[in-house]
Amino acid sequence: MRKLAAAVLTALALTACGNGAGGTKDGTDTLTEIDYYEAAPQNTQLPKLLDECGAQVGVKVQHQQVPRAQFMPKLLQQASSRSLPNLALVDNPDLPQLAATGGLVALKELSTDGLYPSIVAAGKYKGDTYGIAPGVNGLALYYNQDLFTAAGIQPPKTWDELTAAAKALTKGTRYGIAFSAVGTEEGSFQFEPFFWTAGASLGKLDSPEAIKALALWKDLVEAKAASKSVVTWTQADVNDQFMAGNAAMMVNGPWQLPTLNKKSDLKFGIVPIPIPSPTAKPVTPLGGEMWTVGHSNPQREAKALSVLKCLLSQDKSLEWSKAAGYIPSNQAAAAQLAQSDPQLSAFVEEVATAQARTAELGTGYPKASEALFNAIQACLAGGKSPEEALRAAAQK
């Protein structure tokens, strides 16, 4: 019995050395991965890529999906106990908060050559890179080509042209433009292209530039060129309105293309978000997720970095972006995608000058975003002027 007990204890000790991964003594033949993708094509394509890159490195990657609402609380709890998964795909605004725990590996050994500088900058925290996105998404302006042709209007490039086109194309139950001003991060995300392109800063929410941007949205709603319901519409709702012919234009992302392309009688074009003036610099927010590596032991971290290197390669970045409706972080891959799929050219064009949502405030971004989307709600639904709404947001 004593011999048997000793054998069992030895086996348990060896398993513990594997950090719960099984296999070899140091557990490096199996890595853990976590993300929050719940729907196709992301949740079907990602395991496939993980299997392929794991096979190249000689490891098995155990994939785990956690609902979005539970994702960050789970990761922060794991970070506090130093038990983060070897690989985690996190929303880019969440990166600073996770990096601040000290639970992530600085990705100093990974080359960022060939990646968009804006995307590399989005993955930095206190000067070090802790996250790298395989692909990103953003926002552009979709327009109904048939309606524009019938009205003799060209796709707008400036705010004045956008306002004029929206008013001209508003007729009956059809609005000229649709966007999401919902009281969540989606509302802030949709507003930020106008906010930043106007020259506004999240550090001063009530600046003249910020007021000018919110005044644009308020003017569109008050002129009935945009529905008052924008304060309740998600980006999916906006897409539904555009597809149904209830909006001649919409602000939305590339992830809507698979659905839009299924509607054969809908002819649409896509252009960059209009800017205040021809000399303004277009700035859109970077959307999408970043790969991170959790601290474990040197052997496991090295294997995780090797898998990550594979996932970020030009061919895998292109494969993932095509499947997920993203723009590759690799500039050569992005150019290749834009050439093969003209629908994505506007999104590719915007990536070079895009900005991470956390670039200005880091871990303070969520509070600023909440104040901003509440200001949008107060202005468009609560009757406040842009000045009043943004002054209250700045004070908060």
Side-chain angles (χ1 to χ4, degrees):
M1 290 296 292
R2 283 194 292 270
K3 290 180 180 180
L4 178 59
V8 171
L9 288 172
T10 300
L12 289 172
L14 289 173
T15 302
C17 289
N19 198 26
T24 60
K25 185 176 180 179
D26 61 8
T28 54
D29 64 340
T30 303
L31 301 178
T32 55
E33 180 272 345
I34 192 170
D35 60 78
Y36 54 74
Y37 291 136
E38 297 182 80
Q42 288 93 337
N43 70 342
T44 56
Q45 291 299 313
L46 184 56
K48 177 175 173 289
L49 288 175
L50 290 170
D51 287 345
E52 292 173 356
C53 287
Q56 285 190 24
V57 177
V59 296
K60 173 68 177 177
V61 182
Q62 294 179 339
H63 170 251
Q64 181 185 10
Q65 178 270 319
V66 173
R68 182 68 177 94
Q70 302 170 22
F71 186 73
M72 276 303 291
K74 182 179 180 68
L75 284 186
L76 291 172
Q77 183 181 25
Q78 291 175 325
S80 66
S81 60
R82 290 297 185 267
S83 59
L84 279 170
N86 303 118
L87 292 163
L89 196 56
V90 304
D91 197 9
N92 72 72
D94 293 331
L95 179 73
Q97 186 181 11
L98 193 57
T101 67
L104 296 180
V105 175
L107 307 178
K108 297 177 181 180
E109 298 178 18
L110 289 184
S111 172
T112 56
D113 292 344
L115 304 185
Y116 283 100
S118 59
I119 296 175
V120 175
K124 288 186 177 293
Y125 175 72
K126 291 188 175 181
D128 286 324
T129 299
Y130 288 94
I132 301 179
V136 296
N137 57 52
L139 296 167
L141 185 73
Y142 288 73
Y143 66 96
N144 185 304
Q145 292 177 324
D146 287 338
L147 294 176
F148 269 71
T149 299
I153 300 174
Q154 294 297 313
K157 295 182 179 179
T158 65
W159 286 7
D160 286 344
E161 292 175 358
L162 176 68
T163 301
K167 291 179 178 179
L169 292 167
T170 298
K171 184 178 181 181
T173 59
R174 184 186 70 221
Y175 292 95
I177 188 170
F179 48 82
S180 173
V182 69
T184 67
E185 170 62 19
E186 275 189 75
S188 296
F189 182 66
Q190 285 250 320
F191 183 60
E192 282 162 350
F194 302 91
F195 180 85
W196 281 332
T197 300
S201 167
L202 291 173
K204 186 171 175 54
L205 292 178
D206 59 348
S207 68
E209 295 82 4
I211 293 169
K212 181 180 179 181
L214 188 51
L216 171 68
W217 273 22
K218 187 173 181 66
D219 290 346
L220 288 168
V221 172
E222 289 190 339
K224 298 183 179 179
S227 171
K228 289 183 179 179
S229 296
V230 296
V231 295
T232 63
W233 286 349
T234 66
Q235 294 175 115
D237 296 328
V238 169
N239 193 55
D240 290 341
Q241 294 295 325
F242 183 73
M243 288 182 66
N246 296 329
M249 295 179 284
M250 72 167 177
V251 177
N252 228 315
W255 58 86
Q256 306 292 7
L257 285 170
T259 303
L260 288 167
N261 287 330
K262 290 179 181 178
K263 190 172 175 58
S264 57
D265 60 340
L266 177 63
K267 296 180 180 179
F268 63 91
I270 309 171
V271 294
I273 297 287
I275 54 181
S277 68
T279 58
K281 175 187 175 184
V283 184
T284 58
L286 286 172
E289 296 77 26
M290 294 188 166
W291 281 116
T292 61
V293 174
H295 275 300
S296 52
N297 63 49
Q299 294 78 20
R300 293 174 67 78
E301 290 173 9
K303 289 290 181 70
L305 288 168
S306 295
V307 172
L308 183 49
K309 183 178 180 181
C310 169
L311 291 167
L312 295 172
S313 64
Q314 181 175 337
D315 60 333
K316 294 301 182 188
S317 176
L318 183 58
E319 183 181 347
W320 166 248
S321 297
K322 282 182 176 180
Y326 282 32
I327 305 303
S329 298
N330 183 285
Q331 295 186 65
Q336 185 179 345
L337 185 60
Q339 187 173 9
S340 64
D341 188 350
Q343 287 185 328
L344 293 171
S345 61
F347 296 102
V348 172
E349 181 181 337
E350 291 175 330
V351 171
T353 56
Q355 179 172 294
R357 283 167 276 174
T358 56
E360 296 178 89
L361 302 179
T363 55
Y365 173 76
K367 290 183 179 179
S369 174
E370 182 180 0
L372 186 59
F373 64 65
N374 283 334
I376 296 169
Q377 290 271 307
C379 181
L380 301 188
K384 299 288 186 182
S385 70
E387 293 88 348
E388 291 172 326
L390 288 169
R391 189 180 307 120
Q395 290 170 352
K396 183 176 180 179

